[in-house]
Amino acid sequence: MKNDIAMNTTNPRQSFPVAFHVGAATFTVILVLGTIFGNVLVIAAFSLHLRMRTVTNYLVVSLACSDLCVALFSMPVWTAYLLTGPMWVLGETLSRVWTVIDILMGTASIMNLMAISFDRYLCITSPLRYLELMTTPRVIFIIACVWIYSLAIAIAGFILYDKPIFMLVEMILCFCIPLVVIIIAYSIIFKVALRHITQIHTAMPSHNHNSHNSFMKELKAAKTLAVVVGAFVICWAPFVTLNVIYSLCSPILGCPCPVISPEIILATKWMHYGNSLLNPLIYTFTNRDFRTAFKALLCSRNRSFLELGLSAGPRRTAEANSLPMA
């Protein structure tokens, strides 16, 4: 996802007001610190608490790593631009590197979300074979493929930096197609869930209580991750739309690029960076295991939970591979 639109030179202003410089930079610094704090908590909870090391959470941590990298590498450059813009004065090389990092992390985020939706799809539609299909080595292989694919797209973005058509191709390969796959996967999940719940209610409840509880945990896990996907779409859609518009316009062919208010462009950029902060917040409010692990990490009186997790060992049941909600 290229950042050229954030540096639109059609804007007649040569500098932002001083108050804007200070306010925008301060807001972005807070966003950076919040994103680092939240995603480090996710990674620490997974690393220190063995009960969190489920197949799904491997993918969640991969997503957290991409969000953390956004805060460590992309947002600081954005802050520097807010202090010196709207004209880009930080050099062509930094502009290209910044764009490549944004492409890498943006692609990794949505590909991780697509992998998570595939994991949930298998867990709901094939619960008896789920542990056989989604082993730890296989999920690590999936994560490696996600990052290799993202790196390949980022390298292509560096090579084709000046080709507007690349933005359009990138949007199709790294946003539109994965999003369609995610929507289809969750549609099937909820369709299966509704059918399963109907069958349970028509059967004898005493014989299906445990099955119903296990399935409801999986359904709640799918709902949690659907919220993550929804937040991703809301945060990224405006920026992606602007990229598509700028990739299709061509002054040479009589289709000049529209002049868009810098405030709108900056808002879309903040929205897609803000998504890196939202994911750990979603886990905190909707996921009981993550919430408890966060409390154990932050509060000394909850250390017993962490110590219990360190000695309990990873869980290998289908129920453990869910994301139970409160």
Side-chain angles (χ1 to χ4, degrees):
M1 293 71 178
K2 294 188 71 174
N3 297 308
D4 291 18
I5 59 171
M7 302 170 281
N8 190 352
T9 57
T10 59
N11 172 40
R13 286 187 297 183
Q14 296 302 310
S15 65
F16 292 129
V18 175
F20 178 87
H21 281 302
V22 176
T26 301
F27 175 79
T28 306
V29 168
I30 295 173
L31 183 64
V32 170
L33 296 177
T35 302
I36 292 174
F37 178 75
N39 287 287
V40 166
L41 272 183
V42 172
I43 296 170
F46 177 85
S47 301
L48 299 177
H49 183 25
L50 294 182
R51 290 182 60 192
M52 300 296 294
R53 297 186 189 178
T54 64
V55 168
T56 302
N57 286 348
Y58 273 92
L59 298 168
V60 169
V61 167
S62 179
L63 178 63
C65 288
S66 65
D67 290 335
L68 181 61
C69 289
V70 169
L72 293 176
F73 301 111
S74 294
M75 291 188 193
V77 178
W78 176 243
T79 304
Y81 167 71
L82 292 174
L83 291 171
T84 59
M87 301 298 295
W88 181 263
V89 297
L90 301 176
E92 180 68 15
T93 300
L94 182 58
S95 175
R96 295 185 68 170
V97 171
W98 179 39
T99 298
V100 167
I101 292 176
D102 260 10
I103 293 174
L104 172 62
M105 300 311 159
T107 304
S109 290
I110 194 166
M111 297 307 292
N112 275 310
L113 288 173
M114 187 174 73
I116 290 172
S117 68
F118 177 71
D119 168 76
R120 293 295 85 198
Y121 168 82
L122 288 179
C123 193
I124 294 295
T125 60
S126 304
L128 299 180
R129 297 190 59 207
Y130 174 75
L131 293 179
E132 175 188 347
L133 295 173
M134 291 297 288
T135 61
T136 299
R138 284 179 180 174
V139 79
I140 292 175
F141 175 75
I142 291 173
I143 291 172
C145 290
V146 164
W147 284 94
I148 291 172
Y149 177 82
S150 303
L151 182 61
I153 295 294
I155 292 174
F158 184 83
I159 296 173
L160 303 174
Y161 180 81
D162 296 323
K163 306 294 183 182
I165 192 61
F166 173 75
M167 284 192 288
L168 182 60
V169 174
E170 180 200 358
M171 294 306 120
I172 295 173
L173 293 178
C174 303
F175 187 84
C176 298
I177 293 178
L179 185 59
V180 170
V181 173
I182 290 170
I183 292 174
I184 292 175
Y186 280 109
S187 298
I188 294 174
I189 286 172
F190 290 117
K191 183 178 179 180
V192 171
L194 291 175
R195 185 172 68 248
H196 187 91
I197 292 172
T198 301
Q199 291 173 346
I200 288 177
H201 283 301
T202 57
M204 294 180 63
S206 58
H207 293 286
N208 294 278
H209 182 70
N210 292 334
S211 175
H212 176 70
N213 287 341
S214 178
F215 185 84
M216 289 306 296
K217 288 183 178 181
E218 299 296 349
L219 180 59
K220 289 179 180 179
K223 289 180 179 179
T224 300
L225 297 168
V227 172
V228 175
V229 173
F232 181 90
V233 173
I234 293 172
C235 290
W236 275 88
F239 186 70
V240 169
T241 300
L242 288 183
N243 269 281
V244 171
I245 292 173
Y246 274 75
S247 67
L248 294 177
C249 65
S250 174
I252 298 177
L253 300 177
C255 182
C257 293
V259 178
I260 300 175
S261 169
E263 287 76 11
I264 294 178
I265 295 175
L266 296 179
T268 63
K269 194 67 179 170
W270 270 321
M271 286 179 66
H272 98 68
Y273 279 156
N275 181 246
S276 298
L277 173 63
L278 282 180
N279 288 336
L281 292 178
I282 293 172
Y283 305 142
T284 301
F285 287 106
T286 63
N287 185 288
R288 185 177 63 244
D289 277 356
F290 269 111
R291 186 165 61 247
T292 306
F294 291 166
K295 290 179 180 178
L297 289 169
L298 297 174
C299 304
S300 57
R301 59 191 176 89
N302 290 319
R303 294 293 182 187
S304 58
F305 175 82
L306 185 60
E307 293 170 359
L308 178 62
L310 287 172
S311 61
R315 295 176 292 175
R316 287 297 301 150
T317 64
E319 179 179 333
N321 282 301
S322 67
L323 288 174
M325 297 165 63

